[in-house]
Amino acid sequence: MYELFLTAPVRKDDFEMACAILQGLTCMQARQNVYRTLYYAGQPQPRGLPNQRTFRQSGQALPLWKELSNHLKRSSYVLQLAYEVFPESDFGSGATVDLNGMPGTLRWTDLPDPLRDTPVTQRKKIDIPDQRNLLTTMSDNGHTFKNELIHETFSYVRTNVEFVFSRTYQLPESPGRPTTALPAWSDLRPVDPAQKWILNVKLTVEEENQPEKLQKANKELMAVKEELDRLFEFKVVDRRVLDTRIAPPQVLPPR
C-alpha cells in the first residue's frame, strides 16, 4: 500500500487550540494511543526473511510477510515493532514484560518517492498487525536491535482523511536490548527539547499500481492543505529525513 501525508509542526503552547480546531472540523473527540516502538536494523547484505518458522502459519498475514521479504532482498531497512501500551497501567509499575509473547505490529516504510516542491510525502508501507514472536523473528533473520522510543498520538478522522498529532519520548538507555521495565509516565521527556507536536494529515491508497488513485489522493490532501493553510504551516519534508534504509531515528541526549 501507499501512504500519503502532509506534515506541520505544532508548538507545545498551541497544542490544545490545535486539538480544538480539529475536534470541530471532524466532529469527534480525539483518540489517544501510546506505542512502545522498537527499531531493528537489517543485515549488512540484504537477504530478505529466509527464516520463516515464526510466521509460517500467519494466515492472511502470510502474503504481507512474503511481500516484505521481497523488499528486504533488495535493500536493508530499519524495521519497527510497535506495541500499544497504556500510561495508567504499563508505566512505573516495575513489572517486566515479555514482549515476545505480546501481539505487536511489524512496520516497514520505504524511502519516500521523489515528489519535488510539494508538501505531500508519498511512500510505500507494509503493516503486519497482531503478530507474536516478533523479537524472535528479528533475531532469526539477522536483524539487530538499535533503540526504543515511546510514541504518543491523538487522532481524528473525517471521511477517509486521518489527522494525527504525534510526539516522541526517549527511554533510559538499555544497550543491546529493549528496556526491561518502563519508567513512570510522568518521568518521560520528549525527544524534541522544544516539546513540539507533529501534525500529519494522512491518506492511504491500497492499490499500488493505479497511479490515478495516487493522483486523486494527492489532490485531496492539497485541498485539505488549502483549507487549513491559515492555521497550520505545512512543510516540504526532505525525503532523506525519512530514509529507513540507513539508521533508526536519532535520540537526543537527556537534558
Side-chain angles (χ1 to χ4, degrees):
M1 74 173 72
Y2 268 89
E3 67 171 2
L4 301 90
F5 55 91
L6 299 164
T7 302
V10 177
R11 295 188 309 169
K12 175 187 175 184
D13 294 343
D14 296 334
F15 179 62
E16 288 189 13
M17 178 61 71
C19 286
I21 290 169
L22 287 182
Q23 181 176 328
L25 184 70
T26 60
C27 301
M28 66 171 286
Q29 296 283 339
R31 181 177 69 247
Q32 181 187 17
N33 296 96
V34 178
Y35 295 95
R36 180 179 181 179
T37 305
L38 282 58
Y39 295 83
Y40 280 80
Q43 317 92 328
Q45 296 298 321
R47 60 187 180 93
L49 297 169
N51 193 328
Q52 302 185 10
R53 69 186 178 99
T54 56
F55 55 88
R56 186 177 296 115
Q57 305 300 323
S58 297
Q60 294 181 345
L62 190 56
L64 295 175
W65 280 108
K66 291 181 177 178
E67 181 184 356
L68 175 59
S69 184
N70 288 335
H71 287 296
L72 299 183
K73 289 177 182 177
R74 294 192 288 268
S75 180
S76 286
Y77 288 87
V78 174
L79 304 178
Q80 299 180 33
L81 311 184
Y83 298 88
E84 187 169 13
V85 289
F86 302 91
E88 63 275 11
S89 59
D90 293 317
F91 290 83
S93 67
T96 301
V97 177
D98 176 21
L99 287 175
N100 212 38
M102 292 177 57
T105 297
L106 178 65
R107 292 175 174 165
W108 169 85
T109 54
D110 203 356
L111 175 68
D113 293 347
L115 299 176
R116 298 181 179 179
D117 301 322
T118 173
V120 177
T121 300
Q122 175 178 304
R123 63 183 177 182
K124 288 186 179 181
K125 174 182 179 180
I126 295 175
D127 278 2
I128 310 179
D130 299 321
Q131 299 296 299
R132 298 181 188 272
N133 301 311
L134 286 175
L135 275 67
T136 300
T137 299
M138 295 295 97
S139 176
D140 284 353
N141 288 283
H143 285 63
T144 305
F145 175 79
K146 288 299 181 181
N147 68 348
E148 178 179 11
L149 298 170
I150 300 296
H151 296 281
E152 181 182 19
T153 66
F154 289 85
S155 57
Y156 305 81
V157 179
R158 184 180 67 176
T159 315
N160 61 332
V161 179
E162 189 177 13
F163 303 83
V164 182
F165 293 105
S166 62
R167 191 160 68 175
T168 304
Y169 302 88
Q170 57 194 3
L171 286 167
E173 292 187 11
S174 182
R177 57 180 173 79
T179 301
T180 55
L182 296 174
W185 178 257
S186 59
D187 290 340
L188 294 181
R189 293 293 178 267
V191 169
D192 177 13
Q195 302 187 38
K196 293 190 301 292
W197 292 81
I198 299 298
L199 170 63
N200 289 125
V201 183
K202 300 182 178 184
L203 274 172
T204 299
V205 176
E206 298 285 346
E207 301 85 354
E208 294 188 6
N209 299 317
Q210 297 190 22
E212 67 280 0
K213 292 193 174 182
L214 291 175
Q215 293 174 4
K216 179 181 178 183
N218 266 280
K219 289 180 180 179
E220 286 186 58
L221 287 178
M222 291 302 291
V224 175
K225 176 183 180 298
E226 184 175 353
E227 181 182 7
L228 299 177
D229 246 351
R230 294 185 180 181
L231 302 171
F232 300 102
E233 184 181 1
F234 293 104
K235 302 281 190 178
V236 176
V237 178
D238 187 335
R239 70 183 189 137
R240 292 172 294 182
V241 175
L242 302 172
D243 190 351
T244 56
R245 299 172 304 173
I246 50 177
Q250 297 297 309
V251 179
L252 300 176
R255 293 179 295 175

